PDB file of all heavy atoms in Angstrom:
ATOM      1  N   PHE A 194     -36.541  -2.267  30.668  1.00 95.00           N
ATOM      2  CA  PHE A 194     -36.108  -3.572  31.002  1.00 95.00           C
ATOM      3  C   PHE A 194     -36.812  -4.582  30.159  1.00 95.00           C
ATOM      4  O   PHE A 194     -36.255  -5.486  29.625  1.00 95.00           O
ATOM      5  CB  PHE A 194     -36.347  -3.816  32.527  1.00 95.00           C
ATOM      6  CG  PHE A 194     -35.723  -5.125  32.962  1.00 95.00           C
ATOM      7  CD1 PHE A 194     -34.325  -5.250  33.211  1.00 95.00           C
ATOM      8  CD2 PHE A 194     -36.543  -6.246  33.073  1.00 95.00           C
ATOM      9  CE1 PHE A 194     -33.823  -6.450  33.584  1.00 95.00           C
ATOM     10  CE2 PHE A 194     -36.034  -7.459  33.507  1.00 95.00           C
ATOM     11  CZ  PHE A 194     -34.644  -7.581  33.739  1.00 95.00           C
ATOM     12  N   ALA A 195     -38.167  -4.407  30.119  1.00 95.00           N
ATOM     13  CA  ALA A 195     -38.960  -5.331  29.316  1.00 95.00           C
ATOM     14  C   ALA A 195     -38.656  -5.397  27.843  1.00 95.00           C
ATOM     15  O   ALA A 195     -38.485  -6.394  27.206  1.00 95.00           O
ATOM     16  CB  ALA A 195     -40.449  -5.074  29.531  1.00 95.00           C
ATOM     17  N   ALA A 196     -38.371  -4.124  27.360  1.00 94.00           N
ATOM     18  CA  ALA A 196     -37.996  -4.078  25.976  1.00 94.00           C
ATOM     19  C   ALA A 196     -36.654  -4.751  25.700  1.00 94.00           C
ATOM     20  O   ALA A 196     -36.575  -5.563  24.679  1.00 94.00           O
ATOM     21  CB  ALA A 196     -37.841  -2.544  25.552  1.00 94.00           C
ATOM     22  N   ASN A 197     -35.722  -4.625  26.547  1.00 94.00           N
ATOM     23  CA  ASN A 197     -34.461  -5.312  26.388  1.00 94.00           C
ATOM     24  C   ASN A 197     -34.617  -6.802  26.648  1.00 94.00           C
ATOM     25  O   ASN A 197     -33.853  -7.608  25.955  1.00 94.00           O
ATOM     26  CB  ASN A 197     -33.438  -4.774  27.396  1.00 94.00           C
ATOM     27  CG  ASN A 197     -32.588  -3.681  26.691  1.00 94.00           C
ATOM     28  OD1 ASN A 197     -32.394  -3.734  25.483  1.00 94.00           O
ATOM     29  ND2 ASN A 197     -32.194  -2.733  27.449  1.00 94.00           N
ATOM     30  N   TYR A 198     -35.524  -7.207  27.378  1.00 95.00           N
ATOM     31  CA  TYR A 198     -35.750  -8.599  27.616  1.00 95.00           C
ATOM     32  C   TYR A 198     -36.230  -9.201  26.275  1.00 95.00           C
ATOM     33  O   TYR A 198     -35.805 -10.308  25.818  1.00 95.00           O
ATOM     34  CB  TYR A 198     -36.803  -8.850  28.660  1.00 95.00           C
ATOM     35  CG  TYR A 198     -36.903 -10.246  29.150  1.00 95.00           C
ATOM     36  CD1 TYR A 198     -36.098 -10.734  30.080  1.00 95.00           C
ATOM     37  CD2 TYR A 198     -37.811 -11.091  28.590  1.00 95.00           C
ATOM     38  CE1 TYR A 198     -36.160 -12.084  30.546  1.00 95.00           C
ATOM     39  CE2 TYR A 198     -37.961 -12.425  28.979  1.00 95.00           C
ATOM     40  CZ  TYR A 198     -37.106 -12.867  29.985  1.00 95.00           C
ATOM     41  OH  TYR A 198     -37.181 -14.139  30.376  1.00 95.00           O
ATOM     42  N   VAL A 199     -37.171  -8.463  25.612  1.00 96.00           N
ATOM     43  CA  VAL A 199     -37.692  -8.959  24.351  1.00 96.00           C
ATOM     44  C   VAL A 199     -36.507  -8.979  23.319  1.00 96.00           C
ATOM     45  O   VAL A 199     -36.341  -9.966  22.523  1.00 96.00           O
ATOM     46  CB  VAL A 199     -38.829  -7.994  23.823  1.00 96.00           C
ATOM     47  CG1 VAL A 199     -39.187  -8.388  22.395  1.00 96.00           C
ATOM     48  CG2 VAL A 199     -40.027  -8.135  24.783  1.00 96.00           C
ATOM     49  N   VAL A 200     -35.705  -7.943  23.229  1.00 95.00           N
ATOM     50  CA  VAL A 200     -34.566  -7.891  22.345  1.00 95.00           C
ATOM     51  C   VAL A 200     -33.654  -9.055  22.546  1.00 95.00           C
ATOM     52  O   VAL A 200     -33.276  -9.820  21.593  1.00 95.00           O
ATOM     53  CB  VAL A 200     -33.755  -6.586  22.538  1.00 95.00           C
ATOM     54  CG1 VAL A 200     -32.435  -6.658  21.733  1.00 95.00           C
ATOM     55  CG2 VAL A 200     -34.583  -5.432  21.980  1.00 95.00           C
ATOM     56  N   ALA A 201     -33.268  -9.284  23.775  1.00 94.00           N
ATOM     57  CA  ALA A 201     -32.386 -10.378  24.127  1.00 94.00           C
ATOM     58  C   ALA A 201     -33.021 -11.752  23.627  1.00 94.00           C
ATOM     59  O   ALA A 201     -32.280 -12.561  23.125  1.00 94.00           O
ATOM     60  CB  ALA A 201     -32.102 -10.395  25.589  1.00 94.00           C
ATOM     61  N   PHE A 202     -34.268 -11.861  23.917  1.00 96.00           N
ATOM     62  CA  PHE A 202     -34.966 -13.132  23.525  1.00 96.00           C
ATOM     63  C   PHE A 202     -34.925 -13.341  21.994  1.00 96.00           C
ATOM     64  O   PHE A 202     -34.531 -14.419  21.552  1.00 96.00           O
ATOM     65  CB  PHE A 202     -36.429 -13.075  23.965  1.00 96.00           C
ATOM     66  CG  PHE A 202     -37.213 -14.291  23.603  1.00 96.00           C
ATOM     67  CD1 PHE A 202     -37.137 -15.483  24.296  1.00 96.00           C
ATOM     68  CD2 PHE A 202     -38.074 -14.213  22.497  1.00 96.00           C
ATOM     69  CE1 PHE A 202     -37.886 -16.580  24.004  1.00 96.00           C
ATOM     70  CE2 PHE A 202     -38.812 -15.363  22.163  1.00 96.00           C
ATOM     71  CZ  PHE A 202     -38.681 -16.529  22.916  1.00 96.00           C
ATOM     72  N   ILE A 203     -35.211 -12.302  21.214  1.00 96.00           N
ATOM     73  CA  ILE A 203     -35.195 -12.379  19.803  1.00 96.00           C
ATOM     74  C   ILE A 203     -33.773 -12.692  19.325  1.00 96.00           C
ATOM     75  O   ILE A 203     -33.549 -13.573  18.460  1.00 96.00           O
ATOM     76  CB  ILE A 203     -35.756 -11.098  19.145  1.00 96.00           C
ATOM     77  CG1 ILE A 203     -37.225 -10.980  19.435  1.00 96.00           C
ATOM     78  CG2 ILE A 203     -35.578 -11.141  17.644  1.00 96.00           C
ATOM     79  CD1 ILE A 203     -37.888  -9.699  19.029  1.00 96.00           C
ATOM     80  N   MET A 204     -32.759 -11.919  19.848  1.00 95.00           N
ATOM     81  CA  MET A 204     -31.466 -12.187  19.314  1.00 95.00           C
ATOM     82  C   MET A 204     -30.952 -13.551  19.709  1.00 95.00           C
ATOM     83  O   MET A 204     -30.214 -14.159  18.894  1.00 95.00           O
ATOM     84  CB  MET A 204     -30.449 -11.142  19.982  1.00 95.00           C
ATOM     85  CG  MET A 204     -30.731  -9.698  19.515  1.00 95.00           C
ATOM     86  SD  MET A 204     -30.883  -9.435  17.791  1.00 95.00           S
ATOM     87  CE  MET A 204     -29.132  -9.394  17.310  1.00 95.00           C
ATOM     88  N   ASP A 205     -31.379 -14.061  20.811  1.00 95.00           N
ATOM     89  CA  ASP A 205     -31.000 -15.438  21.231  1.00 95.00           C
ATOM     90  C   ASP A 205     -31.545 -16.411  20.265  1.00 95.00           C
ATOM     91  O   ASP A 205     -30.928 -17.398  19.852  1.00 95.00           O
ATOM     92  CB  ASP A 205     -31.518 -15.669  22.648  1.00 95.00           C
ATOM     93  CG  ASP A 205     -31.007 -16.984  23.143  1.00 95.00           C
ATOM     94  OD1 ASP A 205     -29.729 -17.239  23.160  1.00 95.00           O
ATOM     95  OD2 ASP A 205     -31.828 -17.875  23.478  1.00 95.00           O
TER      96      ASP A 205
END
Side-chain angles (χ1 to χ4, degrees):
Chain A
F194 186 81
N197 265 329
Y198 193 85
V199 173
V200 166
F202 177 80
I203 292 172
M204 296 307 282
D205 186 57

